Amino acid sequence: MDFCDQIINIGNYAFTECKVSGNIELDDHDIGIRSFQGTNISRVYVMSGLKKIPDYCFKDCKKLYLVDIYKGSSLNTIGYMAFSGCTRLSSIECPNALTTIDNYAFSESSLSTFVANSKLTKIAHGTFYDCQYLKTVELPEVTTIADKAFYNCNSLSSITMDKVTSIGEEAFSKCRFYSVNMPKVQTIADKAFMGSSLLNSVKMASVKTIGDRAFMDTSVEDIALGSSITSNGYDAFSGHRIKKISINARTPPTINVSSFPNYDGVEVTGSYVSNYKTANVWSRFFNTFGGSDKLVYRVNGSDATLTYDNYATENNYKDLPSRFEIVIPEQVTLNGKQYRVTAVDDYAFYKAKNLKYIYLPNTVTKIGKYAFSYCENMTFYSFANDPIADMTVGDFAFAHS
């Protein structure tokens, strides 16, 4: 069945789940929501008069493979979930008049490329959610990418977003990037790139804030930050060891211990790197070293503290010679110098689920808060000293273990 300009108005739900098939030519029509949802329409021709494709209009049209938009089209809006679930639709042009693409408009479709026009400034919530065949995206004038916009686009390997300033929660979670350059991005929300496991290089020259778990479970090794960075969230880069941080902020931004997965073996460079050597948490990059026993220590004078290693804890210390027991030495050699081990840091083995046995030497006089908390399989720990008489044990140090 073909639709032509003899039809003026098409009401809400007019052909929903109907067996109608064939072509549609839409021009100066008044079209209702869900009007062709779930039909067998295969080709849609959008002529110059149509201004809006309404909500759910072609949702789940499994045979729709062509949307041909007239070059002089007045189309300015594509509604909520308008083409969601169109599993044969591989491409669509972005006409010059288009200013709005609503939430989940192309979610779970088979689009392979998308090139935005010069008037589109926002990619809405879930617009390309779970578009598993989407490979390349160009966003020349877009400034905002909303939550889950490209979530689970696990073929997406190339994106141009030179003017984007804000990236929402899980916007690029589970994508396939190897590198990302975001020259004007200022805000990266929680989990924005989480689970994009191939991502190994990130450039963020203008970023101010990075949310919790923003790059968790990626392969980022090199991080380039500009002078505007002010804060970095919890577990922002956890899940993979980093090697280099380039940062040009005069004042060290606010971070917490779990912001980065590791502090040993990381090269920190920048114009004001000397300011970071004494800054809270940042100083760990300069005084934290991995020992030959594959444990990590933070040094102060002649003393060493067995410290928190986010990456090792998340992986249950699987790289240790034994996964089930840890014997903390009385002294350790780091960078050719010997240090006496005197403390176990806060959260040092927090949630190290495979840890079963821990031995603490008589040189240790302090155990930090949550140091062995939630070590669910730990069945035995041994003190060389009487812990009540000679040790300071922090809050929740062995809680739930």
Side-chain angles (χ1 to χ4, degrees):
M1 180 177 182
D2 289 350
F3 291 84
C4 64
D5 57 7
Q6 293 176 349
I7 297 178
I8 298 174
N9 298 321
I10 302 173
N12 297 336
Y13 299 84
F15 297 97
T16 298
E17 305 296 337
C18 177
K19 294 180 180 179
V20 63
S21 62
N23 309 330
I24 302 176
E25 184 178 299
L26 299 173
D27 201 341
D28 191 14
H29 292 85
D30 184 6
I31 307 173
I33 63 170
R34 299 184 189 266
S35 48
F36 295 98
Q37 179 178 342
T39 64
N40 291 326
I41 293 295
S42 58
R43 294 180 293 276
V44 176
Y45 298 94
V46 179
M47 307 309 289
S48 60
L50 189 69
K51 293 183 178 180
K52 179 178 181 179
I53 296 175
D55 298 350
Y56 304 96
C57 187
F58 297 100
K59 185 179 186 297
D60 294 330
C61 289
K62 304 298 184 183
K63 294 187 177 182
L64 178 61
Y65 69 89
L66 174 66
V67 177
D68 189 355
I69 301 176
Y70 180 70
K71 288 185 178 180
S73 172
S74 301
L75 185 68
N76 58 49
T77 302
I78 297 176
Y80 180 84
M81 299 189 85
F83 294 97
S84 177
C86 294
T87 53
R88 292 189 64 191
L89 184 63
S90 61
S91 66
I92 190 168
E93 291 188 15
C94 194
N96 291 333
L98 189 66
T99 59
T100 302
I101 301 177
D102 213 338
N103 298 352
Y104 294 96
F106 298 103
S107 60
E108 298 180 330
S109 69
S110 295
L111 290 183
S112 60
T113 61
F114 180 78
V115 180
N117 64 17
S118 60
K119 293 183 179 179
L120 192 66
T121 59
K122 179 180 180 179
I123 302 298
H125 188 121
T127 299
F128 299 98
Y129 181 96
D130 203 24
C131 288
Q132 297 192 23
Y133 298 96
L134 187 63
K135 294 181 179 179
T136 59
V137 173
E138 295 181 23
L139 307 173
E141 300 297 329
V142 170
T143 59
T144 301
I145 297 177
D147 298 351
K148 297 187 177 181
F150 295 92
Y151 181 89
N152 201 36
C153 292
N154 54 26
S155 295
L156 183 57
S157 58
S158 175
I159 187 165
T160 303
M161 47 180 176
D162 292 341
K163 295 187 179 181
V164 173
T165 59
S166 175
I167 297 177
E169 290 188 19
E170 298 184 278
F172 293 102
S173 181
K174 299 183 180 180
C175 290
R176 199 174 175 82
F177 303 114
Y178 286 93
S179 63
V180 174
N181 184 18
M182 302 173 282
K184 293 189 177 181
V185 168
Q186 298 179 14
T187 303
I188 299 175
D190 297 350
K191 303 179 183 178
F193 292 87
M194 180 177 173
S196 294
S197 59
L198 298 179
L199 181 60
N200 60 29
S201 179
V202 180
K203 294 181 180 179
M204 303 171 281
S206 303
V207 72
K208 293 181 179 180
T209 60
I210 299 174
D212 297 346
R213 300 179 178 88
F215 294 92
M216 185 177 185
D217 294 331
T218 65
S219 297
V220 172
E221 295 181 344
D222 296 338
I223 304 167
L225 301 167
S227 59
S228 302
I229 182 74
T230 59
S231 65
N232 194 27
Y234 287 93
D235 295 322
F237 291 90
S238 64
H240 185 84
R241 286 193 176 275
I242 58 174
K243 294 181 179 179
K244 183 177 181 179
I245 301 173
S246 302
I247 185 166
N248 289 315
R250 181 189 293 270
T251 301
T254 301
I255 62 173
N256 57 77
V257 174
S258 71
S259 289
F260 296 99
N262 60 293
Y263 291 89
D264 62 304
V266 180
E267 179 186 5
V268 180
T269 64
S271 303
Y272 305 100
V273 69
S274 60
N275 294 348
Y276 291 74
K277 292 183 178 180
T278 56
N280 184 35
V281 184
W282 284 99
S283 62
R284 291 174 179 250
F285 285 114
F286 304 93
N287 62 17
T288 302
F289 306 95
S292 58
D293 54 5
K294 296 190 178 182
L295 297 175
V296 178
Y297 300 87
R298 182 163 49 90
V299 301
N300 182 22
S302 61
D303 293 340
T305 296
L306 180 59
T307 192
Y308 176 85
D309 187 308
N310 192 16
Y311 176 79
T313 302
E314 288 175 349
N315 288 276
N316 297 318
Y317 285 89
K318 64 183 180 182
D319 294 330
L320 292 174
S322 171
R323 295 178 62 184
F324 304 106
E325 67 177 25
I326 292 177
V327 178
I328 299 175
E330 292 186 4
Q331 64 180 19
V332 62
T333 301
L334 305 169
N335 281 4
K337 293 180 61 177
Q338 284 193 337
Y339 298 88
R340 185 180 61 166
V341 180
T342 60
V344 179
D345 214 349
D346 297 345
Y347 295 93
F349 294 92
Y350 180 70
K351 290 187 177 180
K353 295 180 180 179
N354 284 359
L355 180 60
K356 289 190 174 182
Y357 172 86
I358 186 77
Y359 173 81
L360 300 164
N362 56 18
T363 55
V364 171
T365 58
K366 180 181 178 181
I367 298 175
K369 63 183 180 181
Y370 293 95
F372 298 99
S373 182
Y374 291 97
C375 293
E376 298 172 356
N377 293 309
M378 189 165 70
T379 57
F380 183 75
Y381 42 88
S382 173
F383 297 93
N385 282 345
D386 178 349
I388 303 300
D390 299 300
M391 282 191 183
T392 298
V393 180
D395 296 343
F396 302 98
F398 293 90
H400 306 288
S401 295

